[in-house]
Amino acid sequence: MIVEMRTGAAQEEVDGVVQRAKELGLGIQLNLGTNKTVVALLGPNTGQLPIDIFAVLPGVERVTRIMKPYKLASRDFKSEDTVVSVNGVEIGGKRIVVMAGPCAVEGEKQLMAAAMVVKEAGACILRGGAYKPRTSPFAFQGLEEFGLELLRQTKAQFGMPVVTEVVAPHDVARVVEYTDILQVGARNMQNYALLTEIGKSKCPVLLKRGFSATVTEWLTAADYLLAGGNDQVILCERGIRTFEDSTRFSLDVGSIPIVKKSSHLPLIVDPSHAAGHYSVVPALAKAAIAAGADGLLVEVHPNPKEALVDGLQSLTPSDFARLMTELRSIAEAVGRYI
Ligand code: PEP
Ligand code: MN
């Protein structure tokens, strides 16, 4: 249930709503919008409460039920776009933010070379996995803490914020020490213990769509982060599993306008995991920006032939530089810039 306060409602009036919600055992989240406060009332049984309980309180303009399973990620709760700020880089504003780098951190030389080329081409956030959730237990699992250390050094050298994946709740506190954005991978979108732990932190988080998750399930997963008090949430579409097997996953371009309409959260697209092949990545990246995505997460390797993970879908430095140039005119055509 959503309680919209009148424009200019007094603090005591907002407190009155909060107090009443607490008496009824409800959870609350406040959206202190630019001109009016919105209070989300959360709990398993809000559907049974008459809305008049809140509608009669002083300062209340309107009370409505959110019929969707996701509440805090919804535009009903917050109509204006959320802009997540990461060390001065704004995600969800007019600028298209490109995050790029290798799938996995493999070593100092590789990461430094990747950072140099992606920065040079115009990316503003460096990606690199230190913990890799691999389908096979025999595949390279990442350099773990040493990988985090390399990310820290590279970040210091290039002045670029970094995004890296966290795969287990007990690792969250450690990874937060090194990263600017925590990535939740597709395989962990429904790892609710992980989401709950990240929700307690204030670190920006990139929530990938699970490859068998609907948009509704994905936005409801985002509610776990938001309900914990972490409002720095960025969504990432990375393709879903369909019967089509000529690409690694099917990029759901349609989810882009749907998510932008249904949610206030910024949305970026990972064309690399959807494509599975470097030759397909540029077209998907361009389609994503044309469809309204706020940014991209692209795998780039200084030498894809030697990559330990996802070499086939990684762009070479020159392919990435070309893509960035091509993306500029697409961004401009949709009223954005890179
Ligand atoms: C990744 O970004 O390296 C990754 C593992 O992606 P996903 O979780 O989308 O498969
Ligand atoms: Mn990868």
Side-chain angles (χ1 to χ4, degrees):
M1 201 184 282
I2 289 284
V3 179
E4 266 177 74
M5 303 303 294
R6 270 199 274 278
T7 304
Q11 185 59 48
E12 305 85 76
E13 294 175 325
V14 178
D15 292 345
V17 172
V18 170
Q19 186 54 36
R20 191 75 183 99
K22 285 190 178 153
E23 285 162 14
L24 293 163
L26 303 174
I28 57 128
Q29 282 272 342
L30 294 179
N31 168 23
L32 307 169
T34 34
N35 54 17
K36 63 164 69 169
T37 300
V38 178
V39 189
L41 306 175
L42 307 163
N45 300 317
T46 53
Q48 269 95 66
L49 287 175
I51 58 175
D52 287 358
I53 297 184
F54 291 95
V56 295
L57 296 178
V60 171
E61 180 165 281
R62 191 175 23 224
V63 183
T64 41
R65 293 187 194 283
I66 303 187
M67 302 309 283
K68 302 170 185 123
Y70 55 91
K71 315 282 180 202
L72 303 176
S74 135
R75 284 230 185 245
D76 297 326
F77 173 56
K78 183 168 184 265
S79 57
E80 64 277 20
D81 289 343
T82 290
V83 176
V84 174
S85 186
V86 178
N87 291 4
V89 178
E90 291 198 333
I91 302 144
K94 227 170 169 224
R95 180 180 186 192
I96 301 289
V97 172
V98 179
M99 309 181 187
C103 180
V105 176
E106 298 169 7
E108 186 181 344
K109 247 179 81 191
Q110 172 246 21
L111 192 63
M112 291 277 178
M116 193 172 81
V117 298
V118 300
K119 186 174 181 180
E120 173 87 14
C124 41
I125 295 181
L126 176 67
R127 68 149 286 153
Y131 295 86
K132 296 303 304 173
R134 304 305 302 282
T135 302
S136 163
F138 311 118
F140 174 58
Q141 303 286 316
L143 296 180
E144 304 185 342
E145 202 154 354
F146 179 56
L148 294 176
E149 193 49 55
L150 293 178
L151 282 166
R152 170 147 58 201
Q153 287 169 21
T154 313
K155 173 185 159 165
Q157 170 133 355
F158 291 91
M160 268 179 118
V162 299
V163 52
T164 199
E165 183 162 352
V166 59
V167 295
H170 61 259
D171 287 333
V172 172
R174 180 175 331 121
V175 180
V176 162
E177 294 298 312
Y178 294 87
T179 197
D180 301 287
I181 307 177
L182 289 168
Q183 178 173 324
V184 177
R187 290 158 189 78
N188 273 317
M189 188 208 84
Q190 285 170 311
N191 181 340
Y192 300 120
L194 180 63
L195 300 181
T196 301
E197 195 57 35
I198 296 173
K200 294 182 201 155
S201 104
K202 294 280 170 248
C203 186
V205 47
L206 183 79
L207 179 64
K208 287 205 165 190
R209 178 180 183 180
F211 43 74
S212 60
T214 63
V215 166
T216 296
E217 287 163 341
W218 181 22
L219 296 178
T220 311
D223 263 7
Y224 269 88
L225 300 164
L226 298 163
N230 187 339
D231 58 2
Q232 302 293 290
V233 179
I234 305 155
L235 299 166
C236 180
E237 168 65 65
R238 46 79 73 213
I240 51 174
R241 180 142 292 161
T242 68
F243 51 80
E244 180 54 65
D245 62 1
S246 56
T247 48
R248 188 172 175 192
F249 293 92
S250 296
L251 183 65
D252 184 4
V253 179
S255 81
I256 301 167
I258 296 290
V259 167
K260 293 302 294 178
K261 185 177 69 181
S262 317
S263 176
H264 53 88
L265 297 172
L267 168 66
I268 71 164
V269 168
D270 170 353
S272 306
H273 289 85
H277 195 277
Y278 65 90
S279 64
V280 180
V281 172
L284 298 189
K286 289 181 229 174
I289 299 309
D294 298 305
L296 296 168
L297 179 72
V298 186
E299 288 188 341
V300 179
H301 195 286
N303 186 359
K305 288 193 211 71
E306 286 182 4
L308 295 180
V309 193
D310 285 349
L312 190 59
Q313 67 195 34
S314 298
L315 297 186
T316 60
S318 59
D319 282 349
F320 180 64
R322 187 175 324 112
L323 172 62
M324 288 297 283
T325 306
E326 290 170 0
L327 284 171
R328 288 201 170 89
S329 48
I330 310 265
E332 206 178 311
V334 291
R336 313 286 288 265
Y337 68 96
I338 293 191

